[in-house]
Amino acid sequence: MAMPAMADRVASELIKPIEPAVITEPAKAELGKKLFFDPRLSRSGFISCNSCHNLSMGGSDNLPTSIGHNWQEGPINSPTVLNSSLSVAQFWDGRAANLQEQAGGPIANPMEMASSHVLAIDVLRSIPQYRQEFAAIYGTEDITIDHVTDAIAVFEETLVTPNSRFDLWLKGDDSALNTQELAGYNKFKEIGCTACHNGPAAGGTSFQRMGVVEPYVTDNPAEGRVSVTGDDRDRFNFKVPTLRNVELTYPYFHDGAYWELEKAVDVMARLQLGRQLSDEEIGNITAFLKTLTGEQPSFAMPILPPSTNATPRPVPFEKN
């Protein structure tokens, strides 16, 4: 790699490299990993954080909207958890300021995990191994929801995806991208995509209106940021999604309406930028976007501690 090329590209390009995670609290991250995969935090005993943010599938569930408790249809597409620590806020409407605040939401949401914070804590307190782990990390066996969400957030902060081919190119490896991919990146910049898709995550740092030049037509009732701010100017403003690993996180947009990355590129160019791209241009940009797929998180699956006779029983087939 040529160091001057690396310095020039990193300084001049609006998309920056993803850096590997620096794990400063390994015991807490390991506890958070267990909680992320533990379905007992849900009312049914079946749904875990990984159900909707599947780490084998790009940190999403590859469904238009997620399946919640009692097979309820979720209201919005589940965004990837990968590189989510780089976002300005969490959820499409930004209602959670950080990962810890986000982690507590699905547990108590009746359409998602359908438990409550009280019940989830009762489950964890009933399991001696969990009490011991929390005591070793937080200094008390009196587990709280803040402890739980803090540990999950610390684990999620490790879920970054460095060393994509695009990152290697940014760092000076001219052979990392081919001619088509470079053409796609240049077109991506030329038409203005980097105005919103920038930074290490290539997105996630701002809220933008869905449908600037043309309205976005959808049956999904979500109205975006306005539900948080109450300001009508924020209607249909959604958090700009990261483009990292975008080839893995279909279907696309907040309503999950488009399964093909090529169609998503076409829609965004027309609705947001007023540009009608040729098939060749769409193919080139799509080829570039696939170079943003980085190294996926790799770790041993957690072995969860067993329930006890005192553990509250799951209710997997709750009658309405």
Side-chain angles (χ1 to χ4, degrees), residues 3-204:
M3 294 305 293
M6 171 184 174
D8 289 345
R9 285 177 187 160
V10 171
S12 63
E13 301 296 338
L14 289 176
I15 299 176
K16 305 299 183 182
I18 291 270
E19 298 299 333
V22 177
I23 301 175
T24 59
E25 299 177 287
K28 187 182 289 187
E30 186 65 23
L31 173 59
K33 180 172 73 174
K34 290 180 179 178
L35 297 169
F36 185 90
F37 282 94
D38 200 328
R40 291 170 294 186
L41 294 179
S42 69
R43 173 75 170 158
S44 66
F46 184 72
I47 300 172
S48 70
C49 301
N50 193 65
S51 298
C52 297
H53 302 287
N54 193 320
L55 297 181
S56 297
M57 300 166 66
S60 65
D61 57 14
N62 296 145
L63 296 172
T65 58
S66 296
I67 298 171
H69 184 68
N70 269 10
W71 291 93
Q72 293 181 86
E73 180 181 355
I76 203 165
N77 182 258
S78 182
T80 179
V81 72
L82 300 183
N83 306 304
S84 57
S85 59
L86 303 175
S87 289
V88 65
Q90 303 301 316
F91 296 114
W92 282 97
D93 58 11
R95 64 184 181 274
N98 51 49
L99 289 173
Q100 182 176 4
E101 188 175 330
Q102 184 278 331
I107 294 174
N109 189 315
M111 293 187 68
E112 297 183 51
M113 297 171 80
S115 185
S116 68
H117 291 169
V118 171
L119 178 57
I121 295 304
D122 285 346
V123 168
L124 296 175
R125 286 176 178 169
S126 74
I127 300 173
Q129 290 95 322
Y130 269 137
R131 293 201 305 271
Q132 293 164 11
E133 284 193 65
F134 276 96
I137 294 168
Y138 294 101
T140 177
E141 289 191 2
D142 186 23
I143 303 168
T144 69
I145 191 63
D146 285 342
H147 296 153
V148 171
T149 55
D150 177 60
I152 292 173
V154 168
F155 169 63
E156 290 178 340
E157 288 169 358
T158 71
L159 303 177
V160 295
T161 59
N163 299 321
S164 70
R165 287 196 293 119
F166 183 74
D167 286 344
L168 298 181
W169 178 81
L170 281 175
K171 293 180 177 182
D173 183 356
D174 290 333
S175 66
L177 301 185
N178 63 32
T179 302
Q180 182 188 26
E181 292 158 352
L182 280 172
Y185 179 48
N186 287 328
K187 179 59 66 174
F188 184 86
K189 292 188 292 183
E190 175 194 321
I191 65 176
C193 301
T194 49
C196 298
H197 293 287
N198 53 56

Side-chain angles (χ1 to χ4, degrees), residues 274-297:
R275 297 293 294 262
Q276 184 69 56
L277 299 177
S278 69
D279 289 345
E280 181 182 7
E281 290 170 329
I282 291 172
N284 291 346
I285 291 176
T286 300
F288 152 66
L289 292 175
K290 291 181 178 180
T291 73
L292 295 172
T293 300
E295 293 177 355
Q296 301 300 290

